[in-house]
Amino acid sequence: NAAGEGEFYVTDEAGGLRQLTRRPGLRRTWRAIVPGQFGGSHFTDLLFYDATTGDAEFYAGSGAGGLSLLRRHPGMRQTWRAIVPGHFGGSSYTDLFFYDPTTGEGEFYTTERGGLTMLSRVTGLARDWTHIVPGEFGGSGHTDLFLYDPVAGVGEIYATDGTGGMAMLQRFTGMRRTWQHIVPGQFGGGPYTDLLFYDANAGEAEFYTADSNGALSLLGAISGLRHTWKHIVPGNFGGSLFTDLFFYDPVGDGEFFTSDGAGGLLPLSSLSGLRTNWRHIVPGDFGQTGTTGLMFYAPGG
């Protein structure tokens, strides 16, 4: 019955981790922890969401792993499966897209100082989306969304219009049904968001680049990967122009990789002896090092 815990770390360009702070006594039942700019500072803020109670809490980041409460939102829907950050409304604060598979609904919200103002509600969505990935796929200036349905083997890319509207750019059928992680980043050097797909069953990954119409082109494929990566976190860990990745295995291992721009991964560092029960690993600017920091959350025990 131990309370949950959080730990904040900064990274360096050699794949090193340095702890900023440890925060015991966190709620055990946070289903989602979403990074963004919700409070106006240049550090990353966090939204915590508890599906068991319908509570959401916004916290402002203050550097050195500090958090201060911005606002609580009790009584929210308890069936949100995904909460996706992006720029959907045009303000300087991070907006949010909420997805409920039980009803096939999505809602777009703007945020400011921890407030929530609805932009729009979208109905008639598929109920089997397991991944909703934000990125720049359509060139509109607003965040677009890649949605993946493993039951049907379908992926869809939607452009958003700044008012909570969605328009389909591309639909992909016949996709592999065993993608466990889909990670956005800059892996190919183009102006649009690239995607890494990871299949834990096969130990394989594929990198894809996108064009202005949302079309995806294979950049590179990797086989022989570990089958037990639970988290794959993008960020700037190696100092290159391309997105780096942190892989976490709940046996207590972590590995940092840099990407080479051609669909390949280069090892940066390996870590062992990590805690085995991290539920969330959230990237952000929590300190002042110039590289991406990491917030680790465990529900307790």
Side-chain angles (χ1 to χ4, degrees):
N1 295 320
E5 293 184 347
E7 294 180 1
F8 288 86
Y9 289 83
V10 291
T11 66
D12 58 31
E13 293 183 0
L17 283 174
R18 176 173 62 84
Q19 188 178 84
L20 285 171
T21 187
R22 176 174 170 269
R23 300 183 67 90
L26 296 181
R27 190 182 300 202
R28 293 173 51 88
T29 48
W30 295 125
R31 171 184 283 184
I33 303 176
V34 183
Q37 293 294 324
F38 306 119
S41 76
H42 68 275
F43 295 109
T44 299
D45 309 314
L46 296 172
L47 166 66
F48 292 75
Y49 167 69
D50 183 344
T52 63
T53 62
D55 293 339
E57 296 179 356
F58 285 93
Y59 286 84
S62 57
L67 292 175
S68 58
L69 181 66
L70 282 170
R71 191 164 174 180
R72 289 190 174 96
H73 295 271
M76 295 189 67
R77 194 184 300 205
Q78 295 174 258
T79 47
W80 297 125
R81 174 184 287 175
I83 304 174
V84 183
H87 291 286
F88 306 117
S91 76
S92 59
Y93 297 93
T94 301
D95 308 311
L96 297 169
F97 174 71
F98 292 72
Y99 165 68
D100 183 347
T102 66
T103 62
E105 294 178 337
E107 293 179 356
F108 287 95
Y109 287 84
T110 60
T111 69
E112 183 173 349
R113 299 297 302 173
L116 286 172
T117 302
M118 186 186 291
L119 275 172
S120 72
R121 177 179 288 121
V122 183
T123 60
L125 298 178
R127 301 192 181 198
D128 294 310
W129 302 121
T130 58
H131 295 73
I132 303 178
V133 183
E136 180 63 43
F137 304 115
S140 68
H142 301 288
T143 300
D144 309 310
L145 297 170
F146 175 85
L147 303 97
Y148 169 67
D149 178 352
V151 175
V154 169
E156 293 179 354
I157 291 179
Y158 287 83
T160 67
D161 63 7
T163 63
M166 297 172 63
M168 186 185 294
L169 281 175
Q170 292 283 348
R171 189 170 193 267
F172 309 96
T173 59
M175 294 189 70
R176 190 184 302 203
R177 301 183 185 215
T178 49
W179 296 124
Q180 182 172 315
H181 294 287
I182 304 174
V183 183
Q186 292 295 327
F187 303 117
Y192 301 102
T193 301
D194 308 315
L195 294 171
L196 165 67
F197 293 76
Y198 165 70
D199 182 342
N201 296 329
E204 295 176 346
E206 294 179 355
F207 286 93
Y208 286 83
T209 59
D211 64 18
S212 61
N213 297 312
L216 296 177
S217 300
L218 181 66
L219 181 65
I222 303 172
S223 59
L225 293 175
R226 192 183 299 204
H227 294 258
T228 48
W229 296 124
K230 182 179 181 180
H231 296 286
I232 303 176
V233 184
N236 172 23
F237 308 120
S240 75
L241 298 176
F242 301 107
T243 300
D244 309 311
L245 297 166
F246 175 72
F247 289 70
Y248 168 73
D249 183 334
V251 299
D253 293 342
E255 293 187 10
F256 284 97
F257 289 88
T258 61
S259 52
D260 63 7
L265 291 175
L266 303 173
L268 188 61
S269 72
S270 296
L271 306 172
S272 60
L274 299 177
R275 186 182 298 204
T276 60
N277 64 336
W278 295 126
R279 176 179 292 176
H280 301 295
I281 304 176
V282 184
D285 181 1
F286 305 116
Q288 301 181 48
T289 65
T291 54
T292 304
L294 296 171
M295 186 267 189
F296 294 75
Y297 165 77

